[in-house]
């Protein structure tokens, strides 16, 4: 954390180089995405007019991939779009293809599968027209298989494309793409209920990710292994995989991954009748899910405040322009005093016109500010609504848990927890309904 803060403090004085880019990639490979973000964002900011289009696009592509892993998908999409435009300007087809594939992956991760498929088809057209490097060709087929796996229940294209990747990997040695393709093949076989075959693919992918020490990918494969083990009726194996996954995510900020893993584990514990452990895991799930929602709301609020500040700044600039115009009119008035009657009449007309324009523009700006404030109030109401919904969900979950819990003492504790959550909800509603919190008792 100290290193990260120090880097941000002195970014304006540093000249970032290829060595820093390599450091960022190393942190990315180690799943240290916060540290990778520091380097990649600093490289983008330090470019200014010093970098050519290709270099800036490469930095933006890696920054986009880091935003992806930090689960900030909209920012990732923005970086990829800029990188694609820069690569296209530079005539760098491989760089353009790499950014487009990453762009398609963002659409897939945000469930915009029609756009993901369209984007990957554009990459294939680029590949057909100009050819691509082996790594980009493999990356294209790998993500295409993933998109098809999401869109269709079972399609032989997944096998065809994944096997193409595995053939290319024999030449390039790219183990990341190999592990990813093995996962896609495993998912394909899992959907076909060929669990033994799926398990074989997942285990091979797990060994690759484990040997490369890539925690977030290890967690994803462990989740796949746990799911297939449960399908096969091997509950102990399933739980062991989930335990390993929980240990890896415990001290991370991967809240989407955490919520999915905790939710899976809680369902397993509940089905096994281990209600106390299930309750604890449910608490972890709720906390991770709540933090994820809070982060989403915070980002939306920051964006709204940014828009408001931009409008406010625009209004100030416009006001300064009006002041400048009035000052100019005064100068004109002083220089035209030779003819008192004519000049005074002209000046009076000019001042009246300017005042009318000023009044109209200030009124227009006030309307814009009022609209911005209204938008902010709507957003705050939405946040309040989401908080109330979250509290209601937690209360309902505890009540549901209590209904299926045979032990009276456990049921009492669950109902007590439900009562406390209801109290929190009442306090929240009281605070929200008050115009001022000064006199709140």
């Amino acid at each position: 954390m100290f290193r990260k803060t120090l880097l941000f403090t002195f970014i304006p004085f540093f000249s970032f180089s290829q060595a820093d880019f390599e450091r960022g990639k190393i942190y990315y490979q180690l799943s240290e995405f916060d540290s990778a973000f520091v380097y990649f964002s600093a490289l983008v900011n330090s470019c200014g007019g010093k970098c050519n289009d290709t270099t800036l696009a490469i930095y933006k592509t890696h920054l986009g991939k880091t935003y992806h892993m930090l689960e900030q998908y909209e920012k990732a999409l923005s970086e990829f779009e800029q990188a694609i435009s820069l690569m296209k300007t530079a005539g760098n087809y491989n760089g353009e293809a790499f950014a487009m594939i990453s762009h398609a992956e963002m659409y897939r991760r945000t469930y915009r599968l029609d756009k993901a498929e369209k984007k990957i088809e554009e990459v294939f057209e680029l590949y057909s027209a100009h050819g691509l490097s082996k790594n980009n060709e493999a990356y294209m087929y790998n993500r295409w298989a993933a998109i098809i796996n999401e869109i269709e229940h079972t399609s032989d294209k997944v096998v065809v494309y994944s096997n193409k990747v595995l053939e290319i990997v024999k030449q390039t040695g790219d183990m990341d793409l190999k592990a990813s393709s093995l996962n896609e093949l495993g998912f394909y076989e899992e959907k076909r209920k060929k669990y033994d075959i799926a398990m074989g693919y997942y285990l091979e992918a797990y060994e690759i990710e484990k040997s490369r020490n890539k925690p977030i990918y290890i967690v994803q494969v462990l989740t796949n292994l746990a799911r297939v083990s449960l399908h096969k009726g091997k509950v102990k194996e399933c739980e062991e995989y989930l335990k390993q996954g929980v240990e890896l995510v415990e001290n991370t900020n991967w809240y989407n991954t955490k919520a999915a893993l905790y939710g899976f584990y809680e369902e397993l514990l509940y089905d096994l009748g281990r209600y106390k452990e299930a309750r604890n895991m449910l608490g972890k799930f709720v906390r991770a899910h709540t933090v994820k929602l809070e982060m989403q709301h915070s980002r939306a609020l920051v964006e709204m405040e940014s828009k408001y500040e931009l409008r406010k700044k625009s209004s100030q600039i416009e006001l300064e322009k009006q002041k400048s115009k009035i000052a100019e009119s005064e100068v004109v008035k002083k220089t035209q005093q030779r003819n008192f009657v004519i000049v005074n009449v002209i000046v009076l007309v000019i001042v009246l016109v300017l005042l009318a324009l000023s009044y109209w523009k200030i009124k227009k700006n006030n309307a814009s500010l009022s609209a911005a404030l209204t938008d902010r109030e709507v957003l705050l109401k939405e946040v309040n609504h989401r908080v109330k919904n979250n509290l209601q969900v937690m209360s309902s979950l505890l009540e549901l848990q209590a209904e299926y819990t045979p032990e009276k003492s456990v049921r009492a504790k669950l109902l007590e927890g439900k009562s406390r959550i209801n109290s929190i909800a009442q306090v929240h509603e009281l605070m929200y309904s008050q115009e001022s919190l000064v006199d709140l008792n």
Side-chain angles (χ1 to χ4, degrees):
M1 179 61 71
F2 173 76
R3 178 178 176 81
K4 180 178 178 181
T5 304
L6 191 65
L7 276 170
F8 270 125
T9 303
F10 291 101
I11 275 172
F13 308 102
F14 283 156
S15 177
F16 285 81
S17 63
Q18 182 65 26
D20 297 295
F21 180 55
E22 295 301 324
R23 287 192 188 95
K25 290 201 293 186
I26 289 170
Y27 280 122
Y28 183 92
Q29 293 294 325
L30 294 173
S31 301
E32 296 287 343
F33 302 119
D34 284 329
S35 297
F37 169 77
V38 170
Y39 280 100
F40 292 142
S41 61
L43 285 163
V44 169
N45 292 331
S46 66
C47 253
K50 303 173 186 176
C51 303
N52 59 40
D53 287 345
T54 297
T55 301
L56 180 58
I58 290 170
Y59 294 159
K60 282 186 168 291
T61 301
H62 283 81
L63 179 58
K65 287 172 72 67
T66 306
Y67 274 132
H68 165 193
M69 301 313 297
L70 290 171
E71 299 170 357
Q72 298 185 34
Y73 300 126
E74 294 306 320
K75 289 184 178 180
L77 285 170
S78 175
E79 294 298 332
F80 290 139
E81 286 168 357
Q82 293 176 52
I84 291 168
S85 177
L86 288 166
M87 287 295 189
K88 191 171 291 186
T89 301
N92 188 323
Y93 300 119
N94 271 296
E96 183 183 352
F98 184 73
M100 288 172 70
I101 298 165
S102 301
H103 196 176
E105 174 63 6
M106 285 301 91
Y107 281 136
R108 186 187 74 86
R109 290 295 296 267
T110 51
Y111 304 104
R112 288 174 271 187
L113 299 176
D114 54 338
K115 290 187 176 181
E117 188 174 30
K118 183 178 179 181
K119 183 62 67 174
I120 208 73
E121 286 172 352
E122 290 175 11
V123 179
F124 185 74
E125 290 174 5
L126 191 66
Y127 165 67
S128 300
H130 304 285
L132 297 174
S133 68
K134 287 294 182 182
N135 277 335
N136 272 341
E137 183 184 353
Y139 187 27
M140 174 189 70
Y141 282 123
N142 173 254
R143 291 301 83 201
W144 206 345
I147 292 166
I148 293 170
N149 243 344
E150 295 277 358
I151 294 174
E152 302 180 33
H153 183 63
T154 55
S155 171
D156 291 339
K157 289 182 180 178
V158 176
V159 178
V160 173
Y161 293 161
S162 296
N163 284 332
K164 282 186 177 182
V165 176
L166 295 177
E167 285 298 318
I168 295 170
V169 165
K170 290 178 182 178
Q171 303 173 43
T172 64
D174 191 327
M175 301 307 288
D176 286 339
L177 285 175
K178 182 176 181 180
S180 181
S181 289
L182 290 169
N183 269 316
E184 295 305 328
L185 287 169
F187 188 46
Y188 170 79
E189 296 296 347
E190 183 182 346
K191 289 194 295 183
R192 296 175 64 223
K193 299 184 179 180
K194 304 289 185 180
Y195 299 126
D196 288 331
I197 300 175
M199 180 67 80
Y201 284 128
Y202 287 146
L203 284 171
E204 191 175 350
Y206 173 72
E207 291 302 324
I208 292 172
E209 302 294 12
K210 187 177 178 183
S211 67
R212 295 170 65 78
N213 190 28
K214 302 182 76 172
I216 194 167
Y217 298 112
I218 294 173
V219 172
Q220 291 171 359
V221 181
L222 285 170
T223 304
N224 293 340
L225 287 167
R227 192 175 58 247
V228 173
S229 296
L230 191 61
H231 283 312
K232 294 177 68 177
K234 296 183 178 181
V235 178
K236 288 185 178 180
E237 284 186 14
C238 173
E239 184 175 5
E240 185 57 37
Y241 289 132
L242 289 174
K243 281 182 178 178
Q244 292 179 47
V246 168
E247 288 175 5
L248 287 171
V249 302
E250 213 52 75
N251 297 316
T252 69
N253 59 354
W254 309 331
Y255 295 108
N256 274 342
T257 304
K258 277 185 175 182
L261 191 63
Y262 292 154
F264 187 179
Y265 202 177
E266 185 273 335
E267 289 181 5
L268 177 67
L269 292 170
Y270 183 83
D271 290 340
L272 293 173
R274 291 154 59 181
Y275 302 120
K276 185 176 180 180
E277 294 176 69
R279 183 182 64 185
N280 292 336
M281 195 56 61
L282 179 62
K284 289 185 176 183
F285 165 77
V286 170
R287 285 192 292 274
H289 190 64
T290 301
V291 170
K292 182 184 75 171
L293 291 176
E294 287 175 351
M295 288 175 66
Q296 291 173 346
H297 294 158
S298 296
R299 286 196 290 267
L301 194 58
V302 167
E303 289 176 3
M304 182 62 69
E305 289 177 349
S306 176
K307 290 179 181 178
Y308 171 76
E309 288 299 327
L310 184 61
R311 289 180 180 178
K312 184 178 178 182
K313 187 176 180 180
S314 299
S315 298
Q316 290 174 344
I317 293 171
E318 192 64 31
L319 189 59
E320 289 299 322
K321 288 181 179 179
Q322 295 305 317
K323 289 179 179 179
S324 177
K325 287 182 179 180
I326 292 172
E328 289 175 3
S329 72
E330 290 298 325
V331 172
V332 171
K333 181 180 178 181
K334 288 179 181 179
T335 59
Q336 298 294 323
Q337 288 181 348
R338 290 174 304 175
N339 196 335
F340 291 97
V341 176
I342 297 174
V343 169
N344 285 334
V345 170
I346 293 173
V347 169
L348 181 61
V349 171
I350 291 173
V351 170
L352 289 174
V353 170
L354 288 173
L355 287 174
L357 287 172
S358 178
Y359 172 78
W360 179 77
K361 289 183 178 179
I362 290 171
K363 186 177 180 180
K364 182 179 179 182
N365 291 334
N366 287 339
S368 298
L369 289 173
S370 177
L373 288 172
T374 301
D375 290 344
R376 187 174 181 181
E377 289 175 3
V378 171
L379 180 59
L380 288 173
K381 288 180 182 179
E382 178 62 16
V383 171
N384 171 59
H385 178 67
R386 294 292 179 89
V387 171
K388 287 169 64 179
N389 281 354
N390 286 339
L391 291 171
Q392 183 60 46
V393 169
M394 292 167 64
S395 175
S396 300
L397 287 172
L398 288 173
E399 184 176 3
L400 184 61
Q401 185 69 48
E403 290 178 3
Y404 288 92
T405 301
E407 292 87 358
K408 292 183 178 180
S409 61
V410 175
R411 187 185 303 120
K413 290 293 183 181
L414 290 170
L415 292 174
E416 181 183 354
K418 174 181 176 292
S419 177
R420 290 181 178 180
I421 290 173
N422 289 339
S423 298
I424 293 171
Q426 291 175 1
V427 170
H428 173 264
E429 182 63 25
L430 179 61
M431 291 176 69
Y432 181 76
S433 64
Q434 294 293 320
E435 293 184 359
S436 172
L437 300 180
V438 175
D439 300 325
L440 183 65
N441 187 355

